[in-house]
Amino acid sequence: MELVEIGGDRDWQAALTKAKPNLVVVTTVTSALELLDDTVTSAVVKATHAVGAIAFVDDAYGARLRPVLHGGKPGLALGADLAITNCDKAGLAGPRAGVLAGRPNLVTAASAKGAEFGMEARAPIAAGAMRSLQAFRPEDLREEARSGQALAVALAEKLGRDLVVVSDLGPMVDEQDVLAVVLRRAGRSAEGLGLVPCEVSSALGMVLLRDAGILTVNTHGQPGARVSLRLKPTLDAIGRVGGQDAVVAAVDTALDHLASRIDDVSAISQLVLGDQT
C-alpha cells in the first residue's frame, strides 16, 4: 500500500484529505527525541477520525517522556484508537517488547496478526513486561534525564557546544560531526578518505564498548537505526562505568584512537566487522 510521510510542522491536513488513509500513525517523539506538541497530535487524531481512519499513536519514548518530563497527556487521552510503547526506553528496564493498548477490537485484531507472524509475546516476555511496568517510577525517569543532561553538558565542554546536542535524556553527536572531530584530531581533510561518517561512528561505538563497556546504538542497534552517537544512560549506568568524568574521558580517548587510525581502512573495518577471513 502507499505510504505518505509528512512532518507535523507541514500541511498534514491537506495530505490527510488527499490520501484518504485507512490508518494514520503519529510519532510523538522521534529517536532523536524531537517532540511533537500534544495540540498537533490531538488535531491529527481528530482529523483522522473525520476521514474515517484509525489513529495509531507511536509512543515508544513518548508514553513516559511526554507526561513525566513535559506535562503532556497519554496517547489514549489524546483520542488515539491505538497507542504503543516499549519496555526498554525512558525509565523502563526491559524486556525488549512492545505494549499495545486501545480499543479492544483493534487490540485483539493486532494481537491475532502478531501471532500469525510469530511475533506474539510468550508468557515469560509478557510477565517481564508486566513487572517492568509495575516497577516504573516517574522519579527514576526524571533522575535519568538529570544525569543524561549533566553528561551532555560535560561532553559539550570537552568537544564543543556547537557539536553536542543536549536532549532530554543525554548527549547526541551527529555522525558528520563525529567524522569532523576525528579528522581534525588527525590533522587531515576529508579528501581521499576511504570511510564514510556511519563507519566512523560505528567504529567509535565499538571502541567505547571494548574499552569502557559503554553500550550504544552504534554497536547494538537494528538496521535502520540512527548512526549518530547517542548516550541515553539508564538509572545508575553512569556510576557503573566510573562516573560522568569517566564517560567523557572514554569518548575523548576513543576519538583519539580513531584519529590515529583514520587512514587504515582495514583496521577500521576489522574494528567494526571483526575478522572476516
Side-chain angles (χ1 to χ4, degrees):
M1 64 184 67
E2 181 183 8
L3 169 67
V4 178
E5 188 171 13
I6 189 166
D9 58 345
R10 297 173 59 197
D11 190 359
W12 52 264
Q13 179 70 67
L16 190 63
T17 303
K18 180 180 178 181
K20 296 181 174 60
N22 292 315
L23 174 70
V24 174
V25 179
V26 185
T27 299
T28 60
V29 181
T30 70
S31 60
L33 301 185
E34 298 162 324
L35 192 71
L36 189 66
D37 191 274
D38 276 7
T39 57
V40 177
T41 302
S42 180
V44 173
V45 169
K46 289 179 181 178
T48 297
H49 290 156
V51 299
I54 295 170
F56 182 108
V57 170
D58 167 17
D59 233 2
Y61 278 107
R64 294 167 300 286
L65 189 146
R66 291 186 303 100
V68 174
L69 300 185
H70 296 280
K73 293 182 179 179
L76 295 180
L78 293 171
D81 300 300
L82 290 168
I84 196 166
T85 189
N86 66 350
C87 285
D88 65 336
K89 288 180 178 178
L92 293 183
R96 175 70 170 177
V99 178
L100 179 70
R103 287 166 48 189
N105 63 317
L106 296 178
V107 172
T108 299
S111 178
K113 183 60 67 173
E116 287 181 24
F117 292 146
M119 297 172 63
E120 79 277 17
R122 301 294 177 91
I125 299 297
M130 182 185 70
R131 294 301 186 204
S132 185
L133 293 170
Q134 289 174 331
F136 174 70
R137 295 174 61 251
E139 183 54 34
D140 288 345
L141 177 56
R142 295 188 187 99
E143 179 57 32
E144 285 185 10
R146 286 191 290 267
S147 62
Q149 289 171 9
L151 175 62
V153 170
L155 190 62
E157 291 293 331
K158 189 68 174 181
L159 300 184
R161 296 181 181 179
D162 57 328
L163 297 180
V164 180
V165 175
V166 181
S167 77
D168 278 338
L169 299 179
M172 298 187 293
V173 184
D174 185 82
E175 62 273 14
Q176 301 282 353
D177 292 327
V178 170
L179 175 58
V181 171
V182 171
L183 290 175
R184 184 167 65 247
R185 294 188 179 196
R188 78 181 309 281
S189 70
E191 184 177 355
L193 185 68
L195 300 165
V196 295
C198 68
E199 292 169 329
V200 177
S201 61
S202 294
L204 176 63
M206 292 302 294
V207 176
L208 289 173
L209 176 63
R210 182 192 66 190
D211 295 348
I214 296 174
L215 298 178
T216 62
V217 173
N218 307 85
T219 57
H220 287 72
Q222 297 296 315
R226 289 180 179 269
V227 295
S228 54
L229 173 67
R230 291 175 291 149
L231 299 175
K232 301 172 185 175
T234 55
L235 200 64
D236 300 327
I238 293 177
R240 287 198 299 270
V241 295
Q244 177 179 289
D245 291 344
V247 176
V248 173
V251 174
D252 187 50
T253 300
L255 290 168
D256 282 342
H257 180 83
L258 293 179
S260 69
R261 292 161 174 78
I262 196 63
D263 286 306
D264 190 344
V265 174
S266 63
I268 299 296
S269 175
Q270 187 168 32
L271 186 62
V272 174
L273 301 174
D275 188 356
Q276 297 295 298
T277 57

